[in-house]
């Protein structure tokens, strides 16, 4: 099977490894980490990729055409809601975000959510690809604010943008089954100490990501949105459903 995959860079190591060993032919379109902070932009960028993949697919010779578009994304602040295709099924994991994929299942994520209330998750991908809370990152953030808005406003902006941290109690560090570096765990432990969080080390599991790349895409774990349909919120543990839509309606938007 030939798969077009659109993935967040936070999965770069795991998906690259799985794609290299897959029995399928997998080509990945990478998106920068952090787009879930602006879900309308995430949705726009994902739809651009879907449209580009379908356009390219029309030009490929038989035998080289993609058969499905797989998203290495969860709900991600509703960033996948509204996505649609004309010719290829879109497959998306039924989970809230990347943490379920790093932990191996949405069920395990929900279990740990109740066990560790107010947990902020770290792992190798987030530390390498994202802005994660740390004293050094906040120092650089404040310097940027001071340069752009002046010293008087810098402290106020830091307070406004980082007051969410008061709601967290735990620092959860998810190990990488492909191998961790000592400095990544040390980074998470230091963050827990700096922000007065309890540190919890949790084993990562690649079985959900393996299913993203290799299937099977069963209905309990994945939505398969057929062509001429769009992804719609479901407001249950299934997260989404697909509904038919007319191509003419897309052109009006």
């Amino acid at each position: 099977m030939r798969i077009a995959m659109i993935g967040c860079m936070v999965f770069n190591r795991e998906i690259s490894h799985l794609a290299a060993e897959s029995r399928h032919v997998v080509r990945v379109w990478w998106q920068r980490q952090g787009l879930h902070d602006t879900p309308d932009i995430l949705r726009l960028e994902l739809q651009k990729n879907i449209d580009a993949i379908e356009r390219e697919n029309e030009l490929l010779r038989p035998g080289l055409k993609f058969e499905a578009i797989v998203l290495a994304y969860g709900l991600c602040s509703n960033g996948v809601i509204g996505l649609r295709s004309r010719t290829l099924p879109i497959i998306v994991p039924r989970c809230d975000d990347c943490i379920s994929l790093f932990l191996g299942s949405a069920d395990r994520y929900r279990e740990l959510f109740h066990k560790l209330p107010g947990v902020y998750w770290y792992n190798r991908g987030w530390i390498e690809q994202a802005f994660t809370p740390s004293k050094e990152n906040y120092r650089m953030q404040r310097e940027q604010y001071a340069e752009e808005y002046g010293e008087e406003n810098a402290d106020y902006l830091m307070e406004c943008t980082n007051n969410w941290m008061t709601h967290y109690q735990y620092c959860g560090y998810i190990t990488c089954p492909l191998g961790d570096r000592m400095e990544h765990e040390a980074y998470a432990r230091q963050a827990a100490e700096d922000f007065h969080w309890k540190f919890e080390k949790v084993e990562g599991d690649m079985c959900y990501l393996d299913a993203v790349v290799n299937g099977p895409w069963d209905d309990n774990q994945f939505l398969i949105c057929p062509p001429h349909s769009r992804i719609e919120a479901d407001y249950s543990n299934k997260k989404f459903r697909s509904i038919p839509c007319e191509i003419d309606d897309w052109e009006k938007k």
Side-chain angles (χ1 to χ4, degrees):
M1 187 174 190
R2 303 183 77 88
I3 296 170
M5 179 169 291
I6 308 172
C8 175
M9 275 296 294
V10 78
F11 297 121
N12 177 259
R13 290 183 181 276
E14 291 84 355
I15 286 179
S16 294
H17 173 83
L18 290 166
E21 295 193 337
S22 179
R23 64 185 180 276
H24 304 306
V25 177
V26 183
R27 177 176 162 192
V28 185
W29 279 255
W30 293 109
Q31 295 288 332
R32 65 178 175 85
Q33 192 281 338
L35 288 174
H36 66 279
D37 293 333
T38 50
D40 289 341
I41 295 176
L42 171 58
R43 185 179 305 109
L44 178 65
E45 293 302 315
L46 291 175
Q47 190 62 58
K48 284 181 180 177
N49 279 156
I50 291 167
D51 294 342
I53 289 166
E54 293 195 298
R55 285 195 302 270
E56 179 174 334
N57 216 35
E58 293 176 0
L59 303 175
L60 294 175
R61 295 166 52 189
L64 297 179
K65 291 181 180 292
F66 298 113
E67 299 167 67
I69 298 172
V70 179
L71 304 183
Y73 281 89
L75 187 60
C76 294
S77 304
N78 287 331
V80 302
I81 300 302
L83 297 178
R84 55 202 186 272
S85 68
R86 291 175 170 81
T87 60
L88 293 171
I90 301 173
I91 294 136
V92 56
R94 295 188 186 275
C95 59
D96 286 302
D97 52 38
C98 64
I99 302 304
S100 292
L101 294 166
F102 283 125
L103 290 172
S105 74
D107 287 340
R108 188 173 181 222
Y109 180 38
R110 285 190 286 269
E111 176 187 334
L112 287 168
F113 180 83
H114 293 293
K115 181 181 177 181
L116 305 173
V119 59
Y120 191 97
W121 294 104
Y122 290 74
N123 76 340
R124 186 172 186 175
W126 272 79
I127 292 170
E128 291 179 341
Q129 301 290 343
F131 181 93
T132 49
S134 73
K135 281 192 172 180
E136 177 62 16
N137 280 344
Y138 283 166
R139 181 190 65 77
M140 292 188 292
Q141 186 181 52
R142 191 195 179 283
E143 286 180 357
Q144 182 181 355
Y145 283 156
E147 182 178 343
E148 294 180 3
Y149 305 109
E151 289 289 340
E152 284 190 18
N153 294 319
D155 289 333
Y156 173 74
L157 289 170
M158 288 295 293
E159 182 180 351
C160 289
T161 55
N162 298 309
N163 61 7
W164 58 268
M165 293 182 61
T166 60
H167 301 295
Y168 287 86
Q169 303 174 47
Y170 289 89
C171 167
Y173 180 73
I174 305 171
T175 64
C176 176
L178 297 177
D180 274 323
R181 298 181 66 89
M182 292 178 59
E183 58 263 34
H184 291 139
E185 182 176 337
Y187 178 98
R189 287 185 179 276
Q190 185 62 52
E193 182 179 333
D194 290 342
F195 302 123
H196 309 292
W197 295 337
K198 300 173 186 176
F199 180 85
E200 290 284 339
K201 185 175 179 179
V202 177
E203 292 298 313
D205 187 328
M206 286 176 57
C207 65
Y208 205 172
L209 280 171
D210 186 272
V212 170
V213 175
N214 293 305
W217 301 306
D218 65 272
D219 187 63
N220 287 328
Q221 288 190 300
F222 295 91
L223 169 71
I224 300 179
C225 181
H228 294 191
S229 302
R230 71 170 181 267
I231 299 172
E232 184 178 79
D234 184 75
Y235 304 107
S236 73
N237 284 343
K238 285 205 163 186
K239 304 303 175 185
F240 2 78
R241 58 177 176 258
S242 62
I243 61 170
C245 60
E246 297 296 331
I247 294 180
D248 289 344
D249 292 338
W250 304 354
E251 306 302 333
K252 299 173 185 176
K253 295 181 180 180

